[in-house]
Amino acid sequence: MALTRSTTTLVVCSCMALFCLMSAAATADHQLRVGFYSYTCPKAETLIREAFNDAVQQTDDIGADLLRMHFHDCFVRGCDGSVLISSTKGNKAEKDAQINRNLEDEAFQVVDNAKAKLEAACPGVVSCADILAYVARDSVAHYGGGFYDVPAGRRDGRISRASESTSELPTPNLRLGHLTKLFAGKGLTQAEMITLSGAHTIGVAHCSSFSHRLRNFNASSGADPTLDAAYAAQLRRKCPTARSDNEVPMDPPSELGFDNSYYQGILSRRGLFASDQTLVSKPAVAAQVKLFAHNSGVFTSRFAAAMVRMGSIGVLTGGNGEIRTNCRVPN
């Protein structure tokens, strides 16, 4: 068939339109999105929630570790499930870094159980990194923090190094400037840092994380002067020596309640970590703490938004990474 100028133009335009559609589809496949598994594994979120519910019936505080695992995963190499990988003879993995030693193996088992359910239903489809994001959301919802949609489509990384956890994760002793800089390095704002710190409203901490604040803090004070004296005395009874490693609730009024009492405690100088109490060291940041302390609804909604933002740090999507069959071992 002979092509006229008009038919040639039509063919070119049609091809360009097709190219644009294909490009748009390719771009979408490389982005996280809500409902990512709607067609490939429709029951994914339900199966993950079942694994979580089974676990929380046995260990009522397991969700605090799962939430912390997602945070620790995203801050090291991005949200790629690398915190789940086990160490080998030639490599000490993230989970065995000192800062992760308090993560209970039962929490890792929750991910294993969810993965087993998913592999039985839709093998090779759902990543371990996405399981962590979903189960962190389910933990927040279970303790009363509200349900939020989780964009998915993460793929799993193959590398896990303990040394990177040591250098990339915030410690309990950091002050405001260091915290702000560390979170900014992950693409998160100071406001999001203050918001995500609210995760400390659930779970426990070991005495070693804060005992330096209780005794011989400086030449003029036995305890950290930013710590309420009565609270310091209470903590000394829980941690009788500097070497004690007992567990203490991070937010005593609501150890298993995801609410704004964490911020109320900070305003009363009852932030357990130095990194908690430092959130009122400047007027601008103290204003956000006061807002959350007095308005639980604002905290809940902003926490959900900050979790979604954090969950997008350095993600592997599209053809990058892999879908691990066993979350503890790269394929």
Side-chain angles (χ1 to χ4, degrees):
M1 180 182 73
L3 293 177
T4 65
R5 182 174 180 179
S6 59
T7 56
T8 301
T9 302
L10 179 60
V11 170
V12 171
C13 289
S14 297
C15 290
M16 288 180 66
L18 178 60
F19 174 77
C20 291
L21 287 172
M22 292 174 64
S23 297
T27 300
D29 284 343
H30 286 69
Q31 295 175 340
L32 302 183
R33 63 181 185 272
V34 174
F36 186 85
Y37 298 109
S38 296
Y39 297 104
T40 55
C41 192
K43 294 183 65 178
E45 294 188 50
T46 299
L47 294 172
I48 292 168
R49 195 170 302 119
E50 286 177 359
F52 170 75
N53 288 336
D54 290 344
V56 81
Q57 288 177 12
Q58 302 298 318
T59 309
D60 60 2
D61 62 351
I62 194 73
D65 270 3
L66 291 166
L67 179 57
R68 187 177 170 208
M69 281 168 61
H70 181 44
F71 177 89
H72 284 207
D73 182 43
C74 291
F75 263 57
V76 182
R77 291 187 166 270
C79 310
D80 67 347
S82 55
V83 73
L84 301 169
I85 295 176
S86 295
S87 296
T88 63
K89 184 176 181 181
N91 178 65
K92 185 177 181 180
E94 293 172 32
K95 67 184 295 186
D96 290 322
Q98 185 62 42
I99 198 168
N100 286 327
R101 287 289 180 88
N102 293 333
L103 293 174
E104 301 290 343
D105 191 62
E106 288 86 350
F108 291 92
Q109 190 64 50
V110 175
V111 178
D112 291 341
N113 292 343
K115 184 62 173 174
K117 289 175 178 284
L118 292 164
E119 287 299 304
C122 35
V125 173
V126 182
S127 69
C128 301
D130 276 345
I131 294 174
L132 267 184
Y134 283 130
V135 82
R137 182 272 310 276
D138 293 341
S139 299
V140 172
H142 173 78
Y143 296 118
F147 185 90
Y148 57 91
D149 289 326
V150 174
R154 301 165 189 80
R155 289 171 66 84
D156 298 320
R158 301 181 178 93
I159 299 171
S160 181
R161 300 188 181 110
S163 59
E164 293 178 348
S165 289
T166 302
S167 62
E168 296 293 329
L169 290 171
T171 64
N173 303 329
L174 291 186
R175 300 298 178 177
L176 181 63
H178 286 107
L179 283 170
T180 301
K181 184 177 180 180
L182 181 60
F183 276 68
K186 309 300 178 184
L188 298 170
T189 66
Q190 184 181 71
E192 288 169 330
M193 178 270 290
I194 298 167
T195 303
L196 290 168
S197 295
H200 289 176
T201 191
I202 57 173
V204 298
H206 289 255
C207 293
S208 56
S209 300
F210 58 84
S211 58
H212 68 286
R213 302 185 70 201
L214 306 181
R215 303 172 181 85
N216 306 315
F217 185 76
N218 56 39
S220 60
S221 173
D224 182 345
T226 67
L227 188 62
D228 175 74
Y231 187 41
Q234 177 184 335
L235 291 172
R236 280 193 293 270
R237 289 192 292 272
K238 294 280 189 178
C239 308
T241 72
R243 293 181 177 273
S244 300
D245 205 30
N246 298 328
E247 292 183 345
V248 173
M250 287 196 285
D251 182 17
S254 63
E255 181 182 348
L256 294 177
F258 201 95
D259 54 29
N260 61 341
S261 69
Y262 163 78
Y263 296 101
Q264 295 169 357
I266 293 175
L267 293 181
S268 300
R269 295 170 50 225
R270 286 175 170 253
L272 184 61
F273 298 152
S275 60
D276 294 325
Q277 200 58 48
T278 196
L279 299 184
V280 290
S281 60
K282 301 287 184 182
V285 292
Q288 185 176 341
V289 172
K290 291 176 183 176
L291 172 64
F292 288 166
H294 296 122
N295 194 321
S296 61
V298 172
F299 164 60
T300 299
S301 62
R302 291 194 187 177
F303 186 84
M307 284 292 288
V308 171
R309 283 263 293 139
M310 186 191 77
S312 68
I313 296 174
V315 295
L316 301 171
T317 58
N320 298 310
E322 64 185 18
I323 304 297
R324 267 181 243 142
T325 302
N326 179 343
C327 290
R328 301 192 186 219
V329 183
N331 293 342

